[in-house]
């Protein structure tokens, strides 16, 4: 029997707004309502929760009660250091007062991580970066990016901080835009409690091979978490995992299994028009197919094919294992 745990960002169960449907794709949902929806998903056991809560009067005890009745625990807390007040950046904002506000918000989120016994504080500094040539001093901006994360990790040595990199959006160029650049920053900071949360879709969108990105992060001992979804490589579509790139998703999990990486397999999907529970069940159903395929795959034969760099043999092994596992 599988012991693999599955998770999701709680935003999977939110309602969404874009620049066209500015009135949203459904009625607003409270955090408690989102938790109750998450509880309807088969085999979902953990969630990542945004902070601060949309309802400022919502207590941790109320959130905890909702989690308990839905048999859910918290894997991470994601401070919202990417909203309008941080439009010019969180760690890289030219206003020292805003940078201090970002630090305070993340430290508050760290307290919530401790309260729920979560695994990490997730940092997605989406507004840190630049949009135009000559807009920034690149050396100074990069130092500020590293200093902001390093200060937090130093202030909270008992906690893990994960950086979720992404090439762009909302900034035209994000500071932490790739696995290589993020690893360079982490190694330069030099603290053991900073790692990467590798989002499969961000890696695709950035022109990476997610399997290669995972291997690089593992080789540096910095793969602390992961999210899966899918897209068409031209945008961060956050589609149902495995819907567009099933073979690359299989290779990604093959790389994790090969390196004995253990952790939650987490969804970061945005079902704008789909039923959120059905979309989560569909994704987890496919992840279970991948689990069975990994159990079936001949790892020795795959290694031998890869040692020869025999693409045909390797693909045949992968496709037979994956497509016979439904």
């Amino acid at each position: 029997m599988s012991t693999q745990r599955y998770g999701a960002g709680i935003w999977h169960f939110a309602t969404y707004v874009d620049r066209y449907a500015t009135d949203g794709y459904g009625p607003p949902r409270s955090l408690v309502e989102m938790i109750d929806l998450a509880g309807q998903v088969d085999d979902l056991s953990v969630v990542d929760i945004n902070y601060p809560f949309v309802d400022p009067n919502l207590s941790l005890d109320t959130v905890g009660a909702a989690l308990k009745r839905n048999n859910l625990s918290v894997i991470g807390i994601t401070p919202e250091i990417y909203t309008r007040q941080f439009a010019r950046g969180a760690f890289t904002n030219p206003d020292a007062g805003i940078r201090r506000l970002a630090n305070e918000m993340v430290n508050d989120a760290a307290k919530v991580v401790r309260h729920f016994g979560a695994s990490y504080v997730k940092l997605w500094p989406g507004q840190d970066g630049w949009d135009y040539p000559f807009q920034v001093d690149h050396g100074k901006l990069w130092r500020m990016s590293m200093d902001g994360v390093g200060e937090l990790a130093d202030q909270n040595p008992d906690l893990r901080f994960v950086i979720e990199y992404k090439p762009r959006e909302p900034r035209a160029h994000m500071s932490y835009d790739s696995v290589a650049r993020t690893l360079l920053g982490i190694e330069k900071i030099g603290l053991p409690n900073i790692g990467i949360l590798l989002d499969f879709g961000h890696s695709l969108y950035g022109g990476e091979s997610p399997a290669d990105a995972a291997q690089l992060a593992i080789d540096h001992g910095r793969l602390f978490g992961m999210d899966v979804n899918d897209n068409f490589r031209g945008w961060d579509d956050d589609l149902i995992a495995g819907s567009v790139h099933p073979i690359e998703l299989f290779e990604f999990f093959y790389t994790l299994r090969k390196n004995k990486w253990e952790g939650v397999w987490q969804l970061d999907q945005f079902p704008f028009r789909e039923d959120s529970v059905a979309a989560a069940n569909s994704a987890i159903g496919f992840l279970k197919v991948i689990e069975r395929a990994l159990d079936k795959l001949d790892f020795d034969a795959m290694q031998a094919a890869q040692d020869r760099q025999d693409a045909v043999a390797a693909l045949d092994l992968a496709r037979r294992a994956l497509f016979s596992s439904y």
Side-chain angles (χ1 to χ4, degrees):
M1 182 176 176
S2 172
T3 59
Q4 180 59 53
R5 293 192 300 158
Y6 299 99
I10 200 64
W11 50 89
H12 183 288
F13 305 97
T15 53
Y16 306 104
V17 174
D18 62 23
R19 63 193 179 117
Y20 301 102
T22 56
D23 54 345
Y25 285 86
R29 289 183 184 139
S30 69
L31 176 56
V32 170
E33 289 172 328
M34 288 187 267
I35 292 171
D36 286 337
L37 278 174
Q40 296 177 33
V41 177
D42 298 336
D43 299 304
L44 192 72
S45 60
V46 300
V47 290
D48 183 331
I49 295 178
N50 306 92
Y51 183 84
F53 305 143
V54 176
D55 180 357
N57 297 315
L58 188 62
S59 71
L60 293 178
D61 287 344
T62 300
V63 174
L67 291 165
K68 184 176 181 180
R69 70 169 173 265
N70 286 287
N71 297 312
L72 295 170
S73 60
V74 180
I75 186 172
I77 297 294
T78 300
E80 294 192 330
I81 53 172
Y82 42 79
T83 54
R84 183 171 61 183
Q85 63 187 330
F86 301 111
R88 298 181 68 196
F91 305 134
T92 63
N93 198 294
D95 185 332
I98 299 296
R99 296 197 301 272
R100 182 52 43 199
L101 182 64
N103 177 274
E104 291 170 358
M105 181 181 287
V106 178
N107 270 301
D108 286 344
K111 296 173 186 175
V112 180
V113 167
R114 293 186 185 96
H115 177 87
F116 288 118
S119 299
Y120 50 71
V121 181
K122 187 177 79 181
L123 302 176
W124 183 67
Q127 302 285 7
D128 284 10
W130 71 97
D131 303 306
Y132 293 96
F134 286 100
Q135 183 176 7
V136 301
D137 177 325
H138 291 290
K140 182 177 181 180
L141 192 87
W142 185 228
R143 287 193 298 274
M144 292 166 76
S145 297
M146 293 185 288
D147 289 348
V149 175
E151 181 182 21
L152 287 162
D154 188 58
Q155 290 167 336
N156 300 274
D158 59 315
L159 297 182
R160 281 186 158 192
F161 290 81
V162 298
I163 301 171
E164 181 178 2
Y165 69 86
K166 183 178 178 180
R168 56 195 176 277
E169 191 212 10
R171 281 291 194 176
H173 296 270
M174 285 176 58
S175 289
Y176 292 104
D177 67 353
S178 63
V179 67
R181 186 176 177 89
T182 306
L183 283 171
L184 281 171
I186 290 171
E187 295 305 319
K188 181 71 172 178
I189 296 166
L191 294 174
N193 57 328
I194 308 173
I196 285 176
L197 186 139
L198 202 164
D199 182 296
F200 181 85
H202 292 179
S203 186
L204 287 176
Y205 177 34
E208 297 176 343
S209 157
D212 175 62
Q215 186 65 63
L216 194 59
I218 288 169
D219 287 345
H220 285 78
R222 299 291 186 173
L223 186 61
F224 288 4
M226 48 79 72
D227 284 338
V228 290
N229 43 50
D230 216 330
N231 61 52
F232 289 95
R233 272 198 157 91
W235 193 249
D236 185 30
D237 302 301
D238 283 325
L239 304 176
I240 294 171
S243 56
V244 184
H245 295 95
I247 287 289
E248 285 180 271
L249 189 64
F250 186 33
E251 185 192 21
F252 175 74
F253 282 111
Y254 162 76
T255 302
L256 299 186
R257 174 75 69 88
K258 179 180 178 181
N259 286 277
K260 297 180 171 59
W261 186 90
E262 295 182 356
V264 172
W265 292 10
Q266 184 159 288
L267 308 179
D268 183 1
Q269 304 178 158
F270 277 60
F272 278 76
R273 300 164 186 84
E274 290 69 42
D275 178 272
S276 59
V277 173
N281 278 329
S282 175
I284 291 175
F286 187 67
L287 295 185
K288 288 182 175 182
V289 171
I290 286 179
E291 268 199 280
R292 292 194 292 271
L294 289 171
D295 291 338
K296 185 182 295 185
L297 181 66
D298 187 331
F299 275 63
D300 290 337
M302 179 62 77
Q303 187 63 59
Q306 291 180 339
D307 288 345
R308 301 191 307 272
Q309 297 186 18
D310 187 337
V312 174
L315 276 171
D316 283 347
L317 286 164
R319 289 187 294 198
R320 277 196 297 269
L322 180 60
F323 298 141
S324 65
S325 295
Y326 276 89

